[in-house]
Amino acid sequence: MIDFNAGVRSAELVEFLDLFMSQARQKVTDVQKQKDDLGLRTAVFNDLQSKLKDLKRKAEDIAGIGSLSPFQAKQVANSDESVLRVTATNGSETGAHQISVQQVAKPHTVLSNQYTRDGNELSTQFSGAQTFTIVLNGTGHAVNVDITAGATNDVVLDEIAQAINATADLPASASRVRDTDGTARLTISSSETGGANSMNFVDTSFFMGMLSQMGVMNGTEADATTGGYVY
């Protein structure tokens, strides 16, 4: 026997459950919306708080007096920062200034006397072991060079340059330069610019030694044939 009342009660239960779930889902949706609204308000308040703090700092800066006032700040314009960099403080005098750079800093450089490349006066006078010292920043660097007997001036200048370049921790370099087709000279340069990096030379082999005889230690400006300083 079929119980029609039981079927009716089951349908009513399903309808009731659907209504209950629908109402529950609506409540969840409402709560989620409230949560989203609160998150948005929190973000707005945080942004407002940050801007208010920034405004307060700027107001305090503007309230400064004397040299602390931003209205006393000075600006400076430079036509060529590759040559000269300038800054301005609140106490700087206003006005236009012109600075002419006559020469930029260059490393201390010296030249030897001029020698005929295929001559052999250097090896004749200074054959064998020779020692001299290059002093930079108060530190002496001993340079040892072995001059080949009978070698041409071209070769001897190369031997001296190579010995200088091989000296450990020496902030200087040297090379043999051929200033004309038939002549050559020794050039020695500090690795850094500035007066503190100028070179001093000491002939330690004997008095009026090799560097002195070569004109490196002249202390006067080098010319076309005589050694001395270049910069």
Side-chain angles (χ1 to χ4, degrees):
M1 180 177 180
I2 299 174
D3 187 354
F4 291 100
N5 290 330
V8 171
R9 287 195 298 272
S10 177
E12 290 175 348
L13 179 60
V14 171
E15 182 179 357
F16 171 76
L17 290 174
D18 286 343
L19 178 61
F20 176 79
M21 291 300 294
S22 176
Q23 292 175 345
R25 282 193 293 269
Q26 183 61 45
K27 289 182 179 180
V28 171
T29 301
D30 292 343
V31 170
Q32 184 63 47
K33 185 176 182 302
Q34 291 176 1
K35 179 182 177 182
D36 293 341
D37 290 342
L38 288 174
L40 179 60
R41 291 182 182 182
T42 300
V44 171
F45 287 143
N46 288 339
D47 183 59
L48 179 60
Q49 183 182 38
S50 176
K51 290 180 178 179
L52 287 174
K53 288 182 178 179
D54 186 53
L55 179 61
K56 180 183 178 183
R57 284 193 299 268
K58 291 181 178 179
E60 290 173 346
D61 291 341
I62 293 175
I65 59 175
S67 62
L68 298 178
S69 173
F71 299 108
Q72 296 295 324
K74 303 291 178 62
Q75 290 185 331
V76 61
N78 183 9
S79 62
D80 191 349
E81 289 196 356
S82 65
V83 176
L84 181 69
R85 292 185 179 181
V86 293
T87 58
T89 63
N90 290 349
S92 299
E93 294 291 336
T94 58
H97 306 276
Q98 183 173 347
I99 299 176
S100 298
V101 179
Q102 302 297 330
Q103 179 178 317
V104 296
K106 295 181 179 180
H108 182 207
T109 302
V110 296
L111 270 177
S112 72
N113 297 330
Q114 185 186 67
Y115 292 95
T116 303
R117 288 175 52 198
D118 57 4
N120 63 356
E121 57 264 39
L122 285 174
S123 62
T124 299
Q125 188 174 4
F126 303 110
S127 64
Q130 301 293 326
T131 302
F132 56 87
T133 300
I134 301 178
V135 182
L136 274 153
N137 279 319
T139 301
H141 303 268
V143 179
N144 301 297
V145 55
D146 191 15
I147 305 299
T148 303
T152 64
N153 294 328
D154 217 29
V155 171
V156 172
L157 293 175
D158 251 340
E159 290 176 339
I160 298 172
Q162 290 172 13
I164 292 173
N165 294 333
T167 302
D169 301 321
L170 173 59
S173 60
S175 62
R176 184 255 298 133
V177 293
R178 293 173 177 172
D179 54 340
T180 71
D181 289 340
T183 60
R185 307 175 79 165
L186 176 70
T187 177
I188 308 173
S189 296
S190 173
S191 299
E192 302 290 340
T193 60
N197 295 297
S198 61
M199 300 176 291
N200 290 304
F201 301 93
V202 180
D203 267 323
T204 50
S205 291
F206 51 85
F207 179 70
M208 291 295 289
M210 184 172 64
L211 292 187
S212 179
Q213 294 293 322
M214 292 174 63
V216 171
M217 300 170 59
N218 279 348
T220 56
E221 187 173 6
D223 59 25
T225 58
T226 305
Y229 67 84
V230 180
Y231 307 116

